[in-house]
Amino acid sequence: MRGRSLAAALALAFGATTLAVFVLVGSFLYLALEKQIKAQDDLDIVLAARHARRLAEELESPLGIREHDERLSSIVLGNAAMSMEVFDPSGNRALEHNIAASFAMPATASGAATFTTTFAALPQLKRVAAADRITEADIGEWTGRNGAPIRGILTDARLGNGETASVLVARNMSDRWRLLDQYRDKLHIAGVSGVLLSMLLGYLLIRAALRPVRDIAASASLVTVNRLNTRIAVARVPQELEALVESLNAMLARVERGFQNLSRFTADLAHDMRTPLSNMRGAAEVALARPRSVDEYESLLASNVEECDRLSRMIENVLFLARAEHPQFVKHMREFDAGQELHHIADYFEGIADEAGVRLRVSGTASVTADLELFRRAVSNLLANAIRYTPQGGEIVLDASATVDQVRVSVENPGQPIPAEHLERIFDRFYRVDPSRSALPSSGLSQGSTGSTGLGLAIVRSIMELHGGSVQAQSDAKSTRFVLTFRRGG
């Protein structure tokens, strides 16, 4: 099943974000425009009502309303949405402008309607007294004929003879609502278009931005078994992907190193297994070339048994190294006295050391937490290696010491120094410093005497890695020293 496109997912997320921004910005602009329009229209209504009341106050009698109707109606001329009615002190309509066309008052407010019927039809209106100041708070809102929204002010005006007339100034808001509706529709169109455009541009830009990822994939596809040295170029990789590329290159380097080690290990293993097999085959062919005595056949069988033992130890050590790569291999961690265990190991090797003409000496004491069997195997491999290369009459020293944060166990023997260029590689599998590959006779130790298999020091390093510790070789003209370092407390 093919996974979803990252570019498409990011483009959709980008489009959703853009839509949310457009909705917020569009709503803000719409509400701001609505508020501004309403405020401006309310101000026009208030100013018209004030002007109309001031002109009415200049009239001497109700008769002047009809005589100066043009002067009064000029206040709302030029604006087809504005309407005005003036009622004389008796409540009869004395002047009207644009009521039928724009004001769209209810039927009770048209024709021969009086102030009482008009005001009764508009209960939303608050009547402003002649002595009170007209403000935006005095504006009322109602629905006129055909459902048109109307906003207006009803105010009294004192005539020159002391009588009171009433002035109603109103504005039909239909054109404003149509304007706002058109503005809202344009915002919708602009928003949808903007979202689609942002998604398209975002998809294209994201695909362009992800091109380095595709280049990384293309470079990685070039890595094969025969081209493990291929690396991903980091020169043109964005900063955000540098860590990824460096990690991939480091992984490829580890894979290449592991493959090379595996190839070398396989070749060395084949070489070392071929030697005892060739020895057994050659000895058998010589024995079969002509009749032999019983002693000769017994000698042949004894030689073959030794070669079989050598192959068995080699296979056992290879299996141990394979199992040691599993992180759960160490299962029996416990605390014990390293000095005491060194004494036990020295006693075990005492016979072999006597045959080789070397002495063993143990010193020091320290408490260490480790797998006891693996500890014995590591020290036994080092001791067997030391006995192999210690000249007759030499002394091998096994020592245990402790500091605040670590425990050190060392095996030191005199002899020819190891060249510096070999000190790090001697822990590799099947690596030997001496080209002759001299063999040590089998010690019969289950703890790990490896003879000449070339795996003893490799096993030591694997054991120390399982314990989170390390092994180090030091060599000079005086002696060669192997040091096992355990972390304090395991």
Side-chain angles (χ1 to χ4, degrees), residues 68-77 84 95-97:
H68 299 87
D69 58 348
E70 294 182 359
R71 182 181 178 187
L72 290 172
S73 60
S74 64
I75 299 173
V76 294
L77 286 177
M84 186 173 67
L95 182 149
E96 65 175 55
H97 174 77

Side-chain angles (χ1 to χ4, degrees), residues 418 422-429 431 433 457-458 473 482:
I418 301 175
H422 297 292
L423 286 178
E424 289 297 328
R425 295 199 59 192
I426 59 177
F427 297 102
D428 293 343
R429 301 173 184 180
Y431 185 83
V433 177
L457 295 181
F482 289 87

Side-chain angles (χ1 to χ4, degrees), residues 270-346:
H271 181 276
D272 278 44
M273 293 185 69
R274 183 175 56 186
T275 300
L277 290 174
S278 298
N279 292 340
M280 289 189 292
R281 181 183 179 86
E285 289 176 347
V286 171
L288 294 174
R290 61 181 177 82
R292 304 287 180 179
S293 65
V294 175
D295 292 339
E296 289 176 326
Y297 282 125
E298 288 180 352
S299 177
L300 172 63
L301 292 175
S303 175
N304 286 348
V305 169
E306 289 182 0
E307 297 297 342
C308 288
D309 288 340
R310 182 180 176 187
L311 283 173
S312 296
R313 290 194 305 273
M314 186 181 302
I315 293 173
E316 178 188 355
N317 291 329
V318 170
L319 291 175
F320 174 86
L321 289 173
R323 291 194 302 268
E325 293 179 354
H326 196 281
Q328 301 300 324
F329 184 68
V330 179
K331 297 181 179 179
H332 307 290
M333 303 288 289
R334 67 186 184 90
E335 187 176 0
F336 56 88
D337 189 336
Q340 184 177 356
E341 288 301 323
L342 292 181
H343 279 286
H344 293 164
I345 296 172

